[in-house]
Amino acid sequence: MNLKNNFMETEKKILRTPLRIAISLLVVGFLCKILHFTTVANPIILISLAAIGVLYAWRFWKKTKKGFLQYNKLILVASWSLNGIFKILDISHNDFFQVIGSLAFIIWIIMEGTTYLIDDKDDNRSDIAYFMWNTMMIIGILAIIIGSLTKILEWEYATPTLITGFILVAAYVLKDLLVQNLQKKE
């Protein structure tokens, strides 16, 4: 057993469910924004970004061991949340949060990102199901990226691609949440 798994077993992640709910609400807000329901989308996105920032900061505060990567993730989540909040409230100087968030993301991807996405602590899983769900998540993320870029370019199929990506990512997050709740009940 490697050091990362050992540390994860000793320190239980708190606020996992509220964070996942906030992320799911954020996805709903993005979908509303894409479909031009701005009066509904902006408050949902604003509330979910604020919730993600506060919940993650609280989760960070409760950790007993804090290292460089934990601080980096806190900076990443805080800058990402603040950037979104500043954009929705139309407050200037959000470029600062974009630069800080981008640097923190690059550091996270280089140091932990690939192992975070590949490493799984559950040995009871089906390898085929695990592979299919992770593939769906990757396709969803790529669809969101491609849909976002093509939406900027005003291409014809940008919106359906973006919506498909959001649906795939939301399904992955909700599946993970439901599986975890079922495991707790057993």
Side-chain angles (χ1 to χ4, degrees):
M1 185 179 283
N2 65 22
L3 184 62
K4 181 181 174 188
N5 283 346
N6 222 357
F7 177 74
M8 292 299 224
E9 288 175 2
T10 59
E11 181 121 16
K12 186 175 180 335
K13 291 185 177 184
I14 64 167
L15 302 171
R16 181 179 272 177
T17 302
L19 277 166
R20 288 182 179 172
I21 291 169
I23 291 169
S24 298
L25 277 175
L26 184 64
V27 170
V28 169
F30 286 157
L31 283 173
C32 290
K33 187 95 166 169
I34 291 166
L35 297 172
H36 302 290
F37 301 142
T38 311
T39 55
V40 175
N42 286 344
I44 291 174
I45 294 171
L46 189 65
I47 290 168
S48 57
L49 284 173
I52 290 168
V54 168
L55 289 169
Y56 195 83
W58 186 8
R59 179 179 179 163
F60 176 80
W61 185 264
K62 293 286 189 179
K63 285 186 179 186
T64 55
K65 287 189 173 186
K66 298 172 188 147
F68 175 76
L69 285 174
Q70 286 76 28
Y71 283 102
N72 187 63
K73 284 192 271 186
L74 176 66
I75 291 169
L76 175 63
V77 171
S79 62
W80 174 66
S81 296
L82 289 171
N83 179 40
I85 291 168
F86 275 43
K87 277 188 178 183
I88 288 178
L89 296 177
D90 203 21
I91 300 172
S92 60
H93 307 299
N94 62 344
D95 293 340
F96 171 75
F97 295 116
Q98 287 179 347
V99 170
I100 297 299
S102 298
L103 291 174
F105 181 73
I106 290 168
I107 291 169
W108 178 78
I109 278 293
I110 290 171
M111 297 186 74
E112 186 183 39
T114 53
T115 58
Y116 187 84
L117 295 172
I118 294 170
D119 198 335
D120 190 22
K121 297 164 282 304
D122 187 13
D123 292 332
N124 300 345
R125 62 176 163 70
S126 163
D127 286 334
I128 294 171
Y130 177 75
F131 176 76
M132 289 175 57
W133 277 104
N134 282 349
T135 302
M136 185 180 83
M137 177 67 159
I138 291 168
I139 291 170
I141 290 171
L142 289 174
I144 290 171
I145 293 168
I146 292 168
S148 299
L149 294 175
T150 55
K151 184 82 172 156
I152 293 169
L153 298 172
E154 298 179 3
W155 288 5
E156 186 176 350
Y157 297 106
T159 301
T161 304
L162 202 50
I163 290 172
T164 302
F166 280 127
I167 289 171
L168 290 173
V169 170
Y172 181 88
V173 170
L174 291 175
K175 182 268 320 175
D176 204 29
L177 181 65
L178 291 173
V179 166
Q180 187 180 31
N181 285 341
L182 287 174
Q183 287 175 347
K184 283 182 182 178
K185 287 181 181 179
E186 292 175 355

